[in-house]
């Protein structure tokens, strides 16, 4: 991986035309421009059963949970665009976090999250842009030992906010989202000394 900080970028949506997938891509570009090595994934490519303790006891971690764990372990930073469902985190994002948090034999608790640096963002067709959901995502990440930077962006009226090429129409908003990615890259570089 060289000396560039590694950042994993993902949206809490599997929807093909997801606004949050578009948004996290912009933050990822900001992180790359700041010198990070970004791995952008689509949770659609890592389908998982709903977490079930009996299933885990019987079969261990599903293959996709292991793949995701490896991605979390390989990266020090996280960029998460989290849609808001009923004022909170989406099931697919929470289920991903739950599976990834399960230790494999010999692994320290929360090894995949402990000490990571994250930035959060959201996009919604609604007027609040998913802001209420971010409160919950932030609380979850804090409790699993992720350092989440204070800056965040919630894009409201998402149906009108994006240009056909996936970019944000508003230059100030685009810069704010790119800055989230850049900030995570900078914090990671500083932490390394
Ligand atoms: C079950 C469900 C609940 C939703 N609840 C909210 C909500 O509380 N607040 C909000 O702003 N949008 C809500 N929405 C609308 C989502 O913001 C919208 O579907 C958005 O496009 C999802 O993000 P995505 O485009 O990245 O998939 C909800 C959508 C669904 C399917």
């Amino acid at each position: 991986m060289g000396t560039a900080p590694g950042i994993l970028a993902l949206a809490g949506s599997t929807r093909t035309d997801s606004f949050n997938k578009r948004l996290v891509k912009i933050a990822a570009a900001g992180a790359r421009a700041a010198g990070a090595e970004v791995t952008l994934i689509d949770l659609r490519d890592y389908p998982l059963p709903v977490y079930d303790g009996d299933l885990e006891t019987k079969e261990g971690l599903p293959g996709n949970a292991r793949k995701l764990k490896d991605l979390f372990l390989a990266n020090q930073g996280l960029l998460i665009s989290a849609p808001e469902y009923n004022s909170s985190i989406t099931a697919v994002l929470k289920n991903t976090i739950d599976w990834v948090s399960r230790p494999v034999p010999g692994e320290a608790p929360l090894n995949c999250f402990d000490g990571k640096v994250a930035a959060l963002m959201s996009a919604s067709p609604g007027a609040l842009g998913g802001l209420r959901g971010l409160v919950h995502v932030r609380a979850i990440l804090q409790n699993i030992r992720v350092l989440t930077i204070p800056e965040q962006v919630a894009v409201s009226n998402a149906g009108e906010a994006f240009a056909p090429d996936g970019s944000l129409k508003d230059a100030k908003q685009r810069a704010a989202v790119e800055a989230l990615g850049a900030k995570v890259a900078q914090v990671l570089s500083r932490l390394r000394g």
Side-chain angles (χ1 to χ4, degrees):
M1 195 173 63
T3 52
I7 297 177
L8 182 64
L10 59 95
S13 171
T14 51
R15 205 168 68 85
T16 306
D17 293 326
S18 163
F19 297 122
N20 287 277
K21 286 187 196 175
R22 293 181 223 176
L23 193 61
V24 79
K25 226 173 166 179
I26 297 168
R32 284 196 187 106
E37 194 169 297
V38 182
T39 304
L40 178 66
I41 62 166
D42 185 340
L43 291 182
R44 161 81 76 203
D45 299 329
Y46 301 88
L48 287 167
V50 172
Y51 178 78
D52 174 345
D54 289 346
L55 177 71
E56 186 187 14
T57 304
K58 219 166 91 191
E59 298 178 16
L61 251 56
N64 280 335
R66 284 202 172 245
K67 283 184 193 166
L68 285 164
K69 271 178 85 74
D70 287 345
L71 283 165
F72 275 78
L73 283 171
N75 289 280
Q76 302 81 48
L78 298 171
L79 292 173
I80 301 178
S81 191
E84 177 181 289
Y85 279 4
N86 296 310
S87 320
S88 191
I89 188 170
T90 57
V92 70
L93 181 55
K94 184 61 163 55
N95 194 46
T96 298
I97 291 171
D98 290 344
W99 273 117
V100 169
S101 72
R102 300 301 299 154
V104 294
E107 187 185 19
L110 298 176
N111 191 30
C112 289
F113 295 104
D114 200 355
K116 303 263 186 256
V117 176
L120 297 180
M121 67 216 79
S122 62
S124 158
L128 296 178
L131 202 55
R132 294 170 303 178
L134 290 187
V135 176
H136 295 183
V137 179
R138 185 174 289 277
I140 291 164
L141 292 181
Q142 174 172 312
N143 287 326
I144 56 175
R145 305 182 195 151
V146 175
L147 300 163
T148 309
I149 65 166
E151 296 89 342
Q152 62 183 28
V153 178
V155 176
S156 55
N157 304 313
E160 289 78 51
F162 291 92
D165 67 358
S167 63
L168 277 167
K169 290 181 193 166
D170 184 290
K172 263 193 184 165
Q173 202 168 43
R174 188 168 64 232
V177 177
E178 287 168 352
L180 290 178
K183 183 78 181 272
V184 170
Q186 285 153 9
V187 171
L188 287 171
S189 297
R190 276 191 220 139
L191 284 175
R192 281 179 173 189

